[in-house]
């Protein structure tokens, strides 16, 4: 099985995990952007939102599980064909939540272009932006090295 | 599970509503967001919709440049299933009636 190991600086990443944990502990509601079809009946609406929220919680738990004792001892996290899809999705939903919670003042163009050297940070915004960029880097690594595995699964 | 339109309950619909729900055509539309990476969106389109690389890139650019792209058209139940799966991947996907049909 293809596997990539990434060496990270623990003192840099550890504070970002606090942000991720806090986001993961927010009430399990569907992420921004979720739109249930028009005229959906209440049962469908409930199932739709409930299943998405449950899946998101699972994804975030999988991401946080990467940062275990081994990570804090050696600074290494590993991605493989088994966890790649889940981690990729976790990064996506967390980035959406970061935008909603901390990065609204940036505007869409700045977030989309990645031109975020300086800006109107809200309280906690610097750490949130670092987290936003860190999660994008994780996604890029997975897409580059394990994208074919995800497509094949 | 979204895609099962009645949510597990049998509903009696007026005849015209039944016809529209089962025969009418519906579109799955993906909306732009400033968060998801372009390469991520391409992968999702390939994975969920079975697009080849070039179609996936073209559709991703439509989303990026025009704000939206119709990625699938067909019966409502299947459209809802696709929209749900795209939302599982955290893309903004909506289902719309295809007014042209």
């Amino acid at each position: 099985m293809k596997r990539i190991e990434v060496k990270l600086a623990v003192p840099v990443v550890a504070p970002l995990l606090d942000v991720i944990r806090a986001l993961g502990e927010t009430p399990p509601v569907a992420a921004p952007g979720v739109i249930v079809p028009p005229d959906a009946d209440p049962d469908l609406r409930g199932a739709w939102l409930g299943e998405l929220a449950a899946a998101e919680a699972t994804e975030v738990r999988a991401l946080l599980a990467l940062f275990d004792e081994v990570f804090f001892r050696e600074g290494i996290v590993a991605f493989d064909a088994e966890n790649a899809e889940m981690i990729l999705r976790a990064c996506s939903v967390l980035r959406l939540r970061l935008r909603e919670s901390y990065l609204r003042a940036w505007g869409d163009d700045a977030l989309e272009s990645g031109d975020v050297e300086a800006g109107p940070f809200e309280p906690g915004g610097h750490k949130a932006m670092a987290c936003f960029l860190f999660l994008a880097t994780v996604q890029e690594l997975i897409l580059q090295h394990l994208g074919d595995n995800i497509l094949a699964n | 599970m979204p895609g099962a339109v009645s949510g597990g309950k049998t509903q009696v619909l007026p005849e015209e509503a039944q016809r529209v729900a089962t025969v009418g055509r519906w579109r799955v539309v993906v909306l732009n967001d400033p968060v998801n990476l372009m390469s991520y969106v391409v992968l999702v389109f390939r994975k969920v919709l079975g697009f080849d690389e070039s179609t996936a890139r073209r559709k991703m650019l439509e989303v990026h440049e025009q704000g939206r792209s119709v990625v699938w058209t067909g019966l409502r139940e299947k459209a809802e299933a696709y929209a749900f799966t795209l939302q599982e991947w955290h893309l903004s996907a909506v289902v719309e009636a295809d007014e042209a049909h």
Side-chain angles (χ1 to χ4, degrees), chain A residues 74-152:
Chain A
E74 301 172 13
I76 292 174
V77 292
F79 307 109
D80 58 32
E82 276 196 10
N83 70 11
E85 183 174 319
M86 190 83 79
I87 302 302
L88 199 57
R89 285 156 60 147
C91 292
S92 176
V93 73
L94 287 166
R95 279 165 50 83
L96 286 163
R97 290 195 184 285
L98 284 165
R99 173 180 176 245
E100 286 294 307
S101 300
Y102 298 104
L103 306 174
R104 277 286 182 186
W106 275 96
D108 291 353
D109 287 344
L111 291 181
E112 204 159 13
S113 68
D115 182 17
V116 292
E117 288 298 315
F121 285 121
E122 299 164 30
H126 283 93
K127 203 188 277 189
M129 180 55 80
C131 198
F132 187 80
L133 298 174
F134 168 67
L135 292 168
T137 303
V138 170
Q139 284 191 303
E140 285 167 348
L141 278 169
I142 290 174
L143 288 165
Q144 183 180 349
H145 296 284
L146 293 164
D148 288 342
N149 297 76
I150 292 171
L151 288 171

Side-chain angles (χ1 to χ4, degrees), chain A residues 8 13 20 147 150:
Chain A
L8 300 168
V13 173
I20 293 172
I150 292 171

Side-chain angles (χ1 to χ4, degrees), chain B residues 78-93:
Chain B
K78 198 162 182 187
E80 288 181 345
Y82 274 127
F84 179 80
T85 306
L86 290 165
Q87 290 184 6
E88 281 188 309
W89 284 87
H90 311 300
L91 300 193
S92 291

Side-chain angles (χ1 to χ4, degrees), chain B residues 12-99:
Chain B
V12 179
L13 299 174
E15 190 175 327
E16 177 61 14
Q18 280 187 343
R19 191 191 69 76
V20 170
T22 56
V23 178
R25 290 170 66 82
W26 294 74
R27 295 184 297 221
V28 179
V29 181
V30 174
L31 307 175
N32 190 36
D33 72 65
V35 171
N36 283 307
L37 304 173
M38 291 183 179
S39 51
Y40 175 81
V41 176
V42 169
L43 178 129
V44 174
F45 283 176
R46 293 182 69 190
K47 174 85 178 172
V48 174
L49 299 158
F51 289 166
D52 59 31
E53 170 84 23
S54 132
T55 305
R57 289 197 69 79
R58 181 168 54 78
K59 288 291 184 183
M60 177 277 293
L61 287 171
E62 267 183 29
V63 174
H64 181 64
E65 291 166 2
Q66 299 170 28
R68 55 187 271 134
S69 176
V70 177
V71 295
W72 192 85
T73 303
L75 294 179
R76 175 166 181 163
E77 188 169 332
K78 198 162 182 187
E80 288 181 345
Y82 274 127
F84 179 80
T85 306
L86 290 165
Q87 290 184 6
E88 281 188 309
W89 284 87
H90 311 300
L91 300 193
S92 291
V94 296
V95 176
E96 296 178 348
D98 185 354
E99 304 295 344

